[in-house]
Amino acid sequence: MTLCVECSSKGTSCCWHPRVMLSYGEMLFFSHTLGKPIEEISCLKIYTNDASWEPVWENLRVHNIDGHKYEIVIQRDAKGACPFLHTDGCKLKERKPLICKLYPFWPMNGKIEYDKDPHDKVCPIIQTMTVKEAMQHLEVSENQIHEWKEEFI
């Protein structure tokens, strides 16, 4: 996992992505366990993405409020990074949001692929490794990724 820590320290990693989505349950969990108000943990953003490639995503992660689509995202710190990002990686460790556990992978049609987010152009793992090499490097198994997705949706 050292590559992810190294990458995040440069300010170009997925930890700097402007739209790290949370489920409603994750938002409540982080607020409760960290003892912080919801508005310090998350905020609502107007949902502009097209999730037609994965309709389950939109059904569970996008909220209709007054006729508009919103997503719950992690509130960023003053520099624009995830507030849980520290020099040794995510301070939440195994409690981090499921989207963070899954990234850069996305299980699709029974196989593991890289997530197709445009922000991925900065991820050195996606740029330099095959999916299988990345799973080995990050010490995650295909079964673990599938389990995380099941938790996620």
Side-chain angles (χ1 to χ4, degrees):
M1 200 66 105
T2 55
L3 179 61
C4 290
V5 172
E6 193 177 311
C7 183
S8 64
S9 69
K10 295 176 185 173
T12 59
S13 74
C14 48
C15 302
W16 291 78
H17 192 289
R19 297 176 91 90
V20 177
M21 292 177 76
L22 296 173
S23 70
Y24 184 74
E26 286 172 325
M27 177 189 67
L28 295 176
F29 173 78
F30 291 128
S31 176
H32 177 74
T33 56
L34 299 172
K36 294 186 175 197
I38 288 172
E39 46 287 339
E40 281 186 35
I41 302 293
S42 61
C43 61
L44 288 177
K45 297 274 185 178
I46 293 177
Y47 183 71
T48 57
N49 296 345
D50 172 22
S52 58
W53 52 272
E54 182 70 67
V56 172
W57 172 271
E58 188 164 321
N59 290 339
L60 295 168
R61 295 294 171 152
V62 178
H63 310 278
N64 285 306
I65 304 170
D66 296 330
H68 299 284
K69 289 183 176 183
Y70 292 92
E71 56 192 350
I72 302 169
V73 297
I74 291 178
Q75 190 72 274
R76 312 320 267 163
D77 69 13
K79 295 178 185 175
C82 176
F84 307 122
L85 177 62
H86 289 266
T87 53
D88 61 341
C90 181
K91 78 175 187 179
L92 297 174
K93 305 290 181 211
E94 288 305 309
R95 296 183 316 168
K96 64 185 169 185
L98 287 168
I99 189 71
C100 300
K101 288 180 182 180
L102 278 168
Y103 188 84
F105 308 108
W106 192 250
M108 190 73 136
N109 301 321
K111 63 181 186 172
I112 307 296
E113 300 176 1
Y114 279 133
D115 191 359
K116 300 288 194 262
D117 190 293
H119 190 75
D120 296 341
K121 291 180 177 73
V122 299
C123 178
I125 291 175
I126 291 175
Q127 300 303 315
T128 61
M129 297 180 194
T130 66
V131 170
K132 188 172 184 169
E133 289 169 336
M135 286 191 300
Q136 289 172 338
H137 177 78
L138 296 173
E139 299 174 354
V140 295
S141 70
E142 199 167 321
N143 287 341
Q144 193 172 27
I145 293 168
H146 284 292
E147 286 173 14
W148 285 336
K149 184 182 180 191
E150 289 307 309
E151 284 181 51
F152 188 69
I153 58 172

